[in-house]
Amino acid sequence: MQLRVVLIVFCVAGYVGASDPAPTESTIDTLDDEIRGDGVSLLLRKLEAIENRLQKIEDELQKHRATELTQSANIGCITPTTPPSTPIPKQPPFGSCKDAASNVSGIYQIRVESDSEPFNVSCEQQKFGGGWIVIQHRYDGSLEFYRGWNDFRDGFGDLEKEFWLGLEKVHQITQGRTHELIVELKDFNGTFAYAQYDGFEIGSENEKYVLKNLGSYRGSAGDSLSFYNGAMFTTKDQDNDLSYNNCAQDREGAWWYMACTDANLNGRYINATLKTTMYWSHFKKYQGMSFSRMMIRELE
């Protein structure tokens, strides 16, 4: 404030000096008398009035700025009355891996029906166009697959490692909705092949998880499954095949056996040519695979 007063005094002095003619000796004497008298007091009162007026102007400016800031903040908080231009992505649980708006493969939660319990699945979101639910995955032999009925019904393993999703979950997913199946294979020499079917559905536990529907084949691995369309699932402790003995025990696995099978993808993980290995006969007969992955995807 004091600095402002000094500046005003300086400006007034400059103005007076610039506008008045050069003072005469009598003028100087008169001014000197005024200064000795009430001149200083008058000047200070005028300066104080100017100061008060400037202060009022500054106060008004501050109020104006505050009003503008408040209005800007309120505008930012107004809820739009029209929907956003981009749709809000769906949130889990999803109906299937196809509903997950992401191209990142990984673990997602799905709910098959609106009133059913959600559960986690492994989604393949990149290969073969994405949207696949992985139902079986084997690649290092770290997980034992020679198991009983309850394990294959409920599922076992780790969705981020080797696993079997579970026949009951696969039944819930495929019943009433058309799905396709793809089987990926790789031998111990690194040769890759696949078999794809444009239809896949299995029945309920009461139906022994029968392979109810298997569509047409295409791919590079050969068709080792179509012949078994209509076969029931068999494990070492529940014999539902057409053989005189238990094919699951004979092949040390679990599958849709008849008498017995051209495919044994839940057999022993071993680099050998045996009937008990994890094989796909039309690709490499009885030759154990180093990699197997079964995936299903809902069709439009």
Side-chain angles (χ1 to χ4, degrees):
M1 187 71 69
Q2 292 177 350
L3 177 60
R4 185 179 297 170
V5 170
V6 172
L7 289 174
I8 293 172
V9 171
F10 178 80
C11 292
V12 170
Y15 173 79
V16 172
S19 59
D20 291 343
T24 62
E25 184 176 351
S26 61
T27 302
I28 292 173
D29 292 340
T30 303
L31 181 59
D32 187 52
D33 292 339
E34 290 178 355
I35 292 174
R36 290 192 186 98
D38 297 330
V40 173
S41 298
L42 178 61
L43 180 60
L44 290 176
R45 284 197 299 271
K46 289 183 178 180
L47 289 175
E48 185 177 358
I50 294 172
E51 174 67 16
N52 290 336
R53 188 172 182 182
L54 289 173
Q55 185 64 50
K56 289 180 180 179
I57 294 173
E58 185 173 350
D59 291 342
E60 291 295 326
L61 288 174
Q62 291 292 343
K63 290 180 182 179
H64 183 69
R65 292 193 188 99
T67 301
E68 287 184 338
L69 290 174
T70 302
Q71 290 175 347
S72 298
N74 290 336
I75 290 171
C77 296
I78 292 175
T79 302
T81 56
T82 56
S85 57
T86 56
I88 299 173
K90 292 182 180 180
Q91 299 299 316
F94 303 105
S96 69
C97 290
K98 288 182 70 175
D99 291 337
S102 171
N103 62 356
V104 179
S105 300
I107 310 303
Y108 292 81
Q109 190 177 68
I110 67 169
R111 175 181 280 125
V112 178
E113 302 291 344
S114 59
D115 58 347
S116 63
E117 287 294 321
F119 53 86
N120 290 336
V121 296
S122 174
C123 294
E124 171 55 62
Q125 300 293 76
Q126 295 177 321
K127 294 190 66 176
F128 300 101
W132 296 93
I133 298 174
V134 183
I135 64 174
Q136 186 245 39
H137 193 195
R138 304 183 72 183
Y139 60 90
D140 64 3
S142 60
L143 183 64
E144 177 61 65
F145 271 69
Y146 189 37
R147 295 170 178 256
W149 181 264
N150 290 347
D151 283 346
F152 275 94
R153 177 193 64 201
D154 301 335
F156 55 88
D158 187 332
L159 291 177
E160 294 182 342
K161 298 178 183 178
E162 292 196 333
F163 69 91
W164 173 263
L165 182 60
L167 291 164
E168 183 59 34
K169 292 185 179 72
V170 176
H171 163 64
Q172 291 178 19
I173 293 169
T174 60
Q175 69 170 339
R177 295 187 292 178
T178 305
H179 282 71
E180 58 183 327
L181 166 72
I182 191 164
V183 178
E184 293 181 286
L185 303 163
K186 186 168 65 175
D187 65 18
F188 281 90
N189 294 321
T191 304
F192 175 85
Y194 75 97
Q196 189 166 356
Y197 300 86
D198 60 11
F200 180 78
E201 180 185 356
I202 67 172
S204 66
E205 184 174 18
N206 290 335
E207 298 171 297
K208 305 303 180 183
Y209 298 115
V210 61
L211 185 54
K212 247 182 178 179
N213 175 43
L214 190 69
S216 301
Y217 161 83
R218 69 177 184 273
S220 58
D223 184 6
S224 293
L225 194 57
S226 288
F227 180 76
Y228 303 90
N229 194 7
M232 294 181 287
F233 203 84
T234 290
T235 60
K236 64 181 181 180
D237 59 348
Q238 189 165 147
D239 186 356
N240 299 312
D241 59 46
L242 302 180
S243 175
Y244 65 90
N245 59 2
N246 184 323
C247 285
Q249 294 177 2
D250 183 67
R251 302 303 167 97
E252 298 186 15
W255 197 251
W256 294 278
Y257 297 114
M258 282 191 176
C260 283
T261 183
D262 287 329
N264 194 42
L265 296 186
N266 293 323
R268 294 293 187 185
Y269 187 94
I270 183 173
N271 185 9
T273 304
L274 299 169
K275 290 184 179 181
T276 57
T277 64
M278 182 176 77
Y279 66 80
W280 188 270
S281 286
H282 288 79
F283 177 43
K284 301 282 181 72
K285 189 170 184 177
Y286 302 146
Q287 171 60 48
M289 297 288 103
S290 68
F291 171 86
S292 168
R293 187 165 69 160
M294 300 173 65
M295 304 188 293
I296 58 176
R297 180 173 63 184
E298 186 176 2
L299 293 171
E300 297 294 340

